[in-house]
Structures are given as C-alpha cells and as structure tokens.
Amino acid sequence: MSGTMDWCGATRIVGARRTTALLPLLVLVLLLLGTTPTVTFSDAAAASKQQQDPGTVSFVLVGATGNLAKKYLFQSLFDVFLGQGRDDPQLRVYAGARHTKDKSWPTIQQALAAVKCRGRHGDTLLTTECDQLRHAFAEHVQYIQLKTEEHYAALHDAIAKHGETEAARVFYLSVPPSAYPTIAHWIDQSCRPGHATPLRVALEKPFGRDFHSARELQAALRTSLKPAETMLVDHYLGKRGVLQIAEFARANRRFVSTYLRRKHVERVEIVMKETEDCSGRTRFFDAYGIVRDVMQNHLTEVLLLLAMDPGVPVSFSSKMPILSAMLPAAPSRAVLGQYAGYRTHVAHDHGEEVDTKTPTFAGVTLFIDTPRWEGTPFVMVAGKRLSERVAFARVRFKQDTSMVCTTEGCGVHQIEYHIQGHNKPPCITFWGNFPELVVPDGWSVEHNTTAHIALCPGEDVGSLSPYTELMHALVVGDRTKFVELDTLLRSWQIWTPLANTPTTPRVYEREEDVLFALQPNGALAFGDGTTPLSMMTTTRRGHTLAGAGGAGGTGGEDADSKGKYGTANNDRQEQAERTQQQEQPERGRHADEL
Ligand SMILES: O=P(O)(O)OC[C@H]1O[C@@H](O)[C@H](O)[C@@H](O)[C@@H]1O
C-alpha cells in the first residue's frame, strides 16, 4: 500500500485502496465495451496445463570452479532455490569447467557444502532443515566438462535427456572475456535450446577496455547471439541501494520530475570510496584503472537511474536518451590520483618495476545536454585506499530554491541515496523542506529530527546480495537488472576520451591529498591538502566544494549520529547486520581475475 507523507511526517494512505475500489468499475466498463477477451476451453486447458508444469530452467555455470562461483554464484543460486514456490520453474544447475569431473568436482562440492540458509526463506530454518535443503539443492547440480564444442553438444544432449519442458536455458559465463566469442559460438552451434525456449547468456565485466575493443567484442558476439540473448552483468544493478533509486522515482514521479531538474538542483554527486588497495590484483587493475573499473559501469548506471525520466520503466529506452545526451568525460574536467605504494604493489604482482601512471582515484564532472539537466554538474568520485568504504549519490539543491528553504532560512538541502557503507541499510534521506513524498509500497519511514527523514525500502525476496538479485532476474528473464550492449557501447564512447588520455596522477598518501574543488565551468581542481574542499566526505562537517556555499558533507554525520536508527525495529537491525556482512570488500571478484 502506498502512502503520501507531508514534511512533518504525517502519512496518509492513498493509491492502493483507490485502485482496488476502481477495479469493479473497470471490469464493468470493459464488459460493456465488449473488450473482455473470450477464453475458450482449449485456452483454459492449456493455461491450466501450463500452470501445472512451469517447466525447468537449465542454468549452466561456465567457470564453476572459479572465485566468483565459489564466493557468490552457488550461494546466490541456492538463495533462488530456497525462494522458489510451487508455481516457479524448477532449477537444474549444470556446473561446468574445463577439467574432467574428478579434478573439478571436489572444488564444486566444497562450494555446495558451504552455502547458507539465509534471507526470508532461510533465516528461520532449523539446522536440520537447512541441511536437507542444501542436500536437495546439491541433487539439482550436475558436473559437465566444458572445454570443447563437443562438450557443449554433450551438454545439449544431457539437458534433452531429462525430457522436461525447458522454460529457459541460461548460461552464466564466469570466464575471461577473451573466451566469450568462442563459447558463444559453441552455444549457438551445439547447445541452442528449441525455438520455444528463451536463451539467456550472462556476461561478466569487463566488457572491453574502451569503445573500440568493446565494439569488437560486440561484433564477435553478434555472429552467434541475438541482442536479446545477451545480458551484461553489473553487480551494482543488483544492489538494494541502487534498486531503490528507480523504485523511489516510480512512486514519486511528480516530485522527481518537478524538483530533480536544473532549475532546483545545484549538482549531483555520485561517490564510491574504498579502503582497500590493489595489492594482489594489479595484473588486472593496472591495465584498467579506476575510470574503467568502476566509473564507466557501476557509477554510470547509478547516474542513469538518477537522471532518467521517472515516468518510464528502467530499460534501454529510458537509459539511451540520457547516454546520448551526455557529453564525453573530458580530461579538463577530471582530477586523477594514485595512492602512494601502488607502484610497489604493481612491482610485486608483476615481478618487476613498472612505470605505471594508472589512476586509483578519480573525480570527474559530467554534463547531460537535455532541457532537464543542461548545465547541472554530475560529479563522480571513486578511489581506492581512501578513509572509508561508502557509496552514495547525493542531490544538492540550490540555496535560492524556495521549495527547499524553510521560514528559518536555507540550510543544507539535499537528498542522499545511501548505497552502502557505515553499516547502515540503504535508505533515501531528505534534508530540507520537501513537499509531499510518496512512500513506495513496502517501504518504511524513519524519523530522526524534524529536519531529517528517511525512506527505507523493505527487504525483498532475493535482495540478500546483488548476485542473488541478478540470479533471480536471469531465471525469470528480467532484463531491467542487466546492461544492454548498445548502452554499454555508448557509455564507453563517453568514457574513452578520459580513459585513453595519458595523464600523470597526483600521488596521495591520505584522502586529504586528493580533495578537490568544482570550478564554475565544471572543471575540477585539487586543493593544497589543507583547505577543505571535497564533496566526497560523508563523516565530517565543514568540507565543502569551493564556491558551492553552505556546509557540505553533513549527510553521513547526521545519518550516523545517535538516534538516527535508534528507533529501528529488530528487522532493520538485522538488515543492518546483514548489510555489514555483505559490506566486507571482496578482491578479484570478476571473471578477468579468476
Ligand atoms: O562495492 P563493491 O560491491 O565491493 O564492488 C566494488 C568492486 O567492483 C568491481 O567491479 C571492481 O572491479 C572492484 O575494483 C571494486 O572493488
């Protein structure tokens, strides 16, 4: 049920009840118009047969002995398995790797034995019940060697042998991207399902390292797979904190389209800070750098969700107009840094000194040339070995905007979309005098002081980890949580000018060394290490963008302060604890690093 909330926090229930009341009227109108579809006996029989047999989803995990599979994919498949109802297609998992079964199977068995019962369907189970389910899941997993085309043909036969109605055939390629074209070719030639069964092939990042390499990879795949058959994974699209952006906008279309636009917004900040360094993974990282590693993909997706028209569903058609209107990321509007010690890590991983200029930190201003956003800076910040692990997006409003000023004056007025960090569940926090907000279905309202309010998404089935969300989406065929090849290419077009321009990054010992300021023309400039400048601070008051006015960076401080979640009920507390567990950073999670 939706509710609207005025600024003082009074919630009035609207929406759902009104829709229910209108239903009989709608049916009557349809009947009078004669538009009700006629259901024949055979349709009904077919429908009921279909209802009885939802079929089986064949889920082929290619690279099943790799890190990603061990750490995330088997667990997420188990989460999906636990959440399945009687009407859902059953899951049959084919775990594939290049070696023979006797070599690979022990690793897979270990991964299967380690899966946990968690989430709404798992948390309340007794140990014995969980053991039984783990066992039942393992029964649904079978090993298949996948090294040659013949192996793919054998897989095809093995699937057919079960004689089940195949609801979908899914391949998850957790292998180095250089192997994608060959595997896609083998799938196309020897392991395609019948015409009635959809084929979905999920591909991990990195997909290219610039526009040209991504286009080449796309062309190589297009000879084997149709665009509708490829689903590009960006695990940020499975994060609760990212999913909430579009959910909020959907329920608050009027608010978003009225106030989240250049007239009111001073700037938008998208920040992802990590405490981890790159030691042990510079063989991958040094060839990519922070811009390619997280900005071109994760943070661009967050930007798109914030900037897109709230009235349309998340899809190619909602993202592409924004991407098409984005100006290329220009070196003149960027600051780049490299943490001190990075070269030592590279030398250690490569076994020799390398004169590397790869950035491990970047701040970049982007502009979207549309009537809604023209001239509004979207400032992205990402970096390794910084002071805290946190990710958020923040909309800062102009100080002269009446809608964000109260009779007491204009303080800091902003909306912060918390994605992760600070051991807090994802919520959207509002500072300022905002007009009516709609509380989306299943969300809760958290009050702190009269000045702050947060809308928090409820816990959804499948929202345990981003990979669970994505696995579920793959099984049901929900493309909205994946990246389309064409939008990816456009994103590379935007980022390639910056990613491919040689630069000398500023070496930083501490985060203070890379604080920067936004100039009126959108350019960014580093400070001298003592002047408080940056918007990337979430925990300290007083750090502000030069020239932006007002105290910056108050979001985290207030949200962290005592009492913010002090009234939280147990559910939310548990959710925070789970968030904490998930927030342990992972190293080398992607296919390239297996
Ligand atoms: O924020 P998360 O979920 O830990 O993801 C961040 C990671 O995302 C990956 O895509 C990058 O390759 C890593 O460098 C980065 O650390």
Side-chain angles (χ1 to χ4, degrees), residues 8 70-71 125 135 200 274 316 394 411 421 524 534 564:
C8 298
K70 277 189 272 181
K71 284 186 182 162
L125 293 173
H135 187 72
R200 299 174 197 134
E274 296 181 88
F316 171 83
R394 196 150 58 192
L524 300 175
S534 172
K564 175 68 191 81

Side-chain angles (χ1 to χ4, degrees), residues 347-368:
H348 185 266
D349 295 344
H350 288 66
E352 58 178 347
E353 291 287 324
V354 179
D355 180 24
T356 171
K357 295 203 161 65
T358 303
T360 61
F361 171 88
V364 185
T365 312
L366 295 154
F367 289 101
I368 305 170

Side-chain angles (χ1 to χ4, degrees), residues 72 204-205 234-236 239 272-274 276-278 281 284-285 290 292-294 297-298 384 389-391 419-420 466-467 582-590 592-593:
Y72 299 105
E204 269 287 337
K205 76 176 264 269
D234 182 322
H235 76 282
Y236 264 58
K239 285 189 188 259
M272 175 184 175
K273 294 165 61 179
E274 296 181 88
E276 285 281 295
D277 58 35
C278 299
R281 64 182 298 240
F284 158 72
F285 192 87
I290 198 77
R292 296 184 179 92
D293 188 37
V294 302
N297 37 65
H298 307 326
K384 302 279 182 190
R389 173 170 157 80
V390 68
I419 296 171
Q420 67 190 14
Y467 279 102
Q582 285 162 25
E583 281 176 359
Q584 300 312 317
E586 289 295 340
R587 307 172 68 76
R589 65 168 50 187
H590 293 295
D592 54 280
E593 299 164 79

Side-chain angles (χ1 to χ4, degrees), residues 273 361 385-387 506-516 526-534 536-537 539-540 543:
K273 294 165 61 179
F361 171 88
R385 232 205 58 190
L386 297 174
S387 64
R506 167 186 279 218
V507 175
Y508 58 99
E509 295 274 354
R510 344 159 271 153
E511 185 170 308
E512 282 71 8
D513 299 336
V514 280
L515 296 183
F516 60 85
F526 280 131
D528 59 12
T530 53
T531 326
L533 286 174
S534 172
M536 54 199 235
T537 304
T539 51
R540 281 157 294 169
H543 283 206

